[in-house]
Amino acid sequence: MPDHPAPAQILDRITTDALALDRALRTSTTDDAYALAAWITETQDLADTALYLFRGLAQHTPHSTSADLLVLERVAHIAKAAQDAGAELAAALARAVENRRRRADAVSQRVVLIGPSPQQFIESAIDLLDRIPALCHAIHRDRLAAPNLPTHPPH
């Protein structure tokens, strides 16, 4: 086994991580701050891995054909989807804490909550994460550049 995973292995890891996070978000309707913070960290790790792959591919991929650039574009979209999902989860976290504060400060039992709920932000993050496996599959299907790239996933 090589010391450094090939881009295909990194894409497989990105797909696995995105699917696991997607599954966790779908099966939990929580607005628990700790869980949300953990999921944000996971999306950041996912984005870091995609950006690391992008850097390796950009350094070792000829940028002379549309196919070469399409691989880079798709990896960039993976990183963006992960970052955007993290931003949606951060918005869910902020809204969840804000809602708790409003409930704690309320003098009556009735509290008016304004804006999207934490669950709506989580659903938006799920939609973004759903794109990642499809992008990884498209890269595998169309043309994976430089299979022996020296890459080290972050961690």
Side-chain angles (χ1 to χ4, degrees):
M1 180 170 194
D3 291 336
H4 309 290
Q9 292 171 311
I10 296 171
L11 283 170
D12 290 345
R13 182 172 138 217
I14 289 170
T15 298
T16 300
D17 291 350
L19 290 171
L21 181 56
D22 184 270
R23 207 170 16 262
L25 291 171
R26 285 181 189 279
T27 59
S28 177
T29 57
T30 183
D31 62 353
D32 175 59
Y34 182 82
L36 286 167
W39 292 331
I40 293 165
T41 302
E42 288 183 39
T43 60
Q44 290 171 340
D45 290 345
L46 196 58
D48 286 347
T49 302
L51 289 170
Y52 189 84
L53 176 61
F54 180 90
R55 287 177 45 217
L57 290 173
Q59 183 178 10
H60 295 93
T61 301
H63 305 290
S64 55
T65 69
S66 178
D68 295 333
L69 295 170
L70 183 58
V71 169
L72 292 174
E73 178 184 348
R74 286 184 173 149
V75 175
H77 281 293
I78 291 167
K80 182 180 184 319
Q83 289 177 333
D84 289 350
E88 290 295 316
L89 293 173
L93 175 62
R95 183 57 48 89
V97 173
E98 175 188 4
N99 288 349
R100 283 190 188 154
R101 182 190 51 79
R102 285 177 185 248
R103 286 184 187 107
D105 290 347
V107 290
S108 71
Q109 293 290 352
R110 192 159 187 212
V111 178
V112 177
L113 303 175
I114 301 170
S117 70
Q119 189 59 39
Q120 288 171 303
F121 287 114
I122 292 170
E123 288 168 11
S124 180
I126 290 169
D127 289 342
L128 290 159
L129 289 169
D130 283 345
R131 298 176 188 170
I132 293 173
L135 287 164
C136 290
H137 176 73
I139 294 168
H140 277 298
R141 180 193 66 225
D142 293 345
R143 181 184 160 277
L144 184 62
N148 294 319
L149 258 170
T151 55
H152 267 298
H155 280 103

